[in-house]
Amino acid sequence: MELDLLISYIALLTHAVIPILIGSFQSLKPTQVESLAEKDAYMFPVIGSCVLFSLYICFKFLSEDWVNFIMSAYFTVLGVGAIATFLHPILSKICPYEWTDKAQESTSSKKKKKYSYHLKVPIVGWELDFTLIDVIGTIIGGCIGIVYLLTKHWITNNIFGLCFSTVSIQLIQLGSYKVGAILLIGLFFYDIFWVFGTDVMITVAKKFDAPIKVLWPKGNGFSLLGLGDIVIPGIFVALMLRFDYYLYKKKKEENALNENTNVKKSIRFDKSYFWSTFISYVIGLVLTVTVLHIFRHGQPALLYIVPCVLIGSLGCAVVKGDASKLFGYHDNQLFENQVENKTNENEEVKTK
């Protein structure tokens, strides 16, 4: 195997695992985003097929340059927002406290109005609330977006891709294992059909010049990995981490309620479901790259990834005897407890 080809495979693998690791742990924080419902999981492959085939028709009958220009502009705008969201927790730690969300939410902050802004968009009726940190993140994202549109450099493409993937994994919640399994199995057949059954997927992947994939140079071209092969398994891996955290919180609550001090024991955050599913994803991705290298033909990555992550997560549940808990878990159980605990803490602070 050529050295540059090996380096490109390792680089793509690295680009895949970093967003999953960061996004999964970020997903432990409560959000106002609703979880996917079963009907959403069933419809996802259908909607994805419609979008994919529509792009194929556009490339077949319209100017490729114009299609790419419109789609690049659209995804660049989304990418700026993704970069701003990705940078928000980082900027919150290095910028003055008065600029942060915590300072804006605090009723005792005298500088609240100075660094908090409200914008009304008259035509569509949108109302936006943002802070100075959001403005800084958007400016940084805008600068990267301008460089990308002018140069289409693969590094700026990958910055967008990494931020897209991380933020998506952080914010998209499957809700339950059943919904996640339905989504993965549906996209498993979706990927197989559009790659092996038609030339649609390969054609769109080669012609679509927008930051929806990560790239790495090799020889005279690039190795690429679609963001869907990172985000879709990534939100499932993140679900397993939240399930681990839910079990950890439950054990802590049970331990705290135990009045017999001799029985009490230290509880650690055991991430066995997360690591077993994450490692299974890596194995699936390595299998994809191996088959791709052997046959020199585009492969549906989910063909290898989906069985791996489902077997990894189910196998862990069987070994630990948690199958009923896994199938009965929903993210609402975790986040409702977190919100309730936070409310109680705030009330305690106010009384003091």
Side-chain angles (χ1 to χ4, degrees), residues 46 167 202 242 290 309 315:
V46 177
V167 171
I202 303 296
R242 293 194 296 275
T290 303
V309 297

Side-chain angles (χ1 to χ4, degrees), residues 56-68:
Y56 178 77
I57 295 298
C58 288
F59 281 121
K60 201 170 184 67
F61 296 104
L62 300 177
S63 168
E64 183 177 326
D65 293 335
W66 274 106
V67 173
N68 277 322

